[in-house]
Amino acid sequence: MSRINTIHVVSPERFDTGTAQTPGSERRAAIAPELGISSAIWGGLFEVEPGARTGVHHHGSQDTVAFVLSGACEICWGERGEFVAHAIAGDFIHVPAFLPHMEINPSNVHPFRWVVVRSTPTPIVVNLPDAVWP
């Protein structure tokens, strides 16, 4: 039996919020098995509201690539969150597998939004206890 390949266009009203979440943020799947798309990678949107921060988390064996669509953000990582990177609209971000991190929105007015691509078809989100970073 031959498989027919096809192109999928997924409009925002079809994005799936049923994907794994981290407190303080929202992920919306656009390219995922739950949307009937068979792919080796996952794609979607990630948003953090003004003045909010996510919980500390990592993505297991997945590498993550993100493009900052709008806003500005801080990303903390390290044994105690001691390292910080800043990104603004137009920047790309790479988060290595198993790296605990947290995203912070320093703006009290504007959310930040990322386009995210993960290295496996289903996102892995491992939320860590708040006490992991003093």
Side-chain angles (χ1 to χ4, degrees):
M1 177 187 276
S2 68
R3 181 179 149 197
I4 298 174
N5 287 322
T6 187
I7 292 178
H8 296 272
V9 175
V10 182
S11 300
E13 63 272 6
R14 287 194 51 223
F15 293 175
D16 180 15
T17 58
T19 190
Q21 301 291 339
T22 296
S25 63
E26 181 179 75
R27 293 182 183 91
R28 293 182 291 261
I31 307 300
E34 295 78 18
L35 295 167
I37 301 172
S38 177
S39 176
I41 58 176
W42 180 93
L45 292 179
F46 176 71
E47 182 172 317
V48 174
E49 290 298 319
R53 63 179 54 214
T54 69
V56 180
H57 63 284
H58 67 78
H59 301 288
S61 61
Q62 293 179 318
D63 277 334
T64 300
V65 172
F67 175 77
V68 183
L69 196 58
S70 64
C73 61
E74 297 176 5
I75 307 134
C76 300
W77 74 94
E79 284 190 33
R80 298 178 167 201
E82 66 272 22
F83 300 107
V84 179
H86 300 270
I88 60 172
D91 289 344
F92 273 91
I93 301 165
H94 172 252
V95 180
F98 295 105
L99 181 69
H101 61 284
M102 166 195 291
E103 294 90 1
I104 300 167
N105 187 343
S107 172
N108 289 320
V109 178
H110 303 287
F112 74 73
R113 292 182 181 97
W114 297 356
V115 174
V116 177
V117 176
R118 299 267 172 77
S119 62
T120 66
T122 303
I124 299 168
V125 178
V126 179
N127 293 312
L128 300 172
D130 290 337
V132 73
W133 287 354

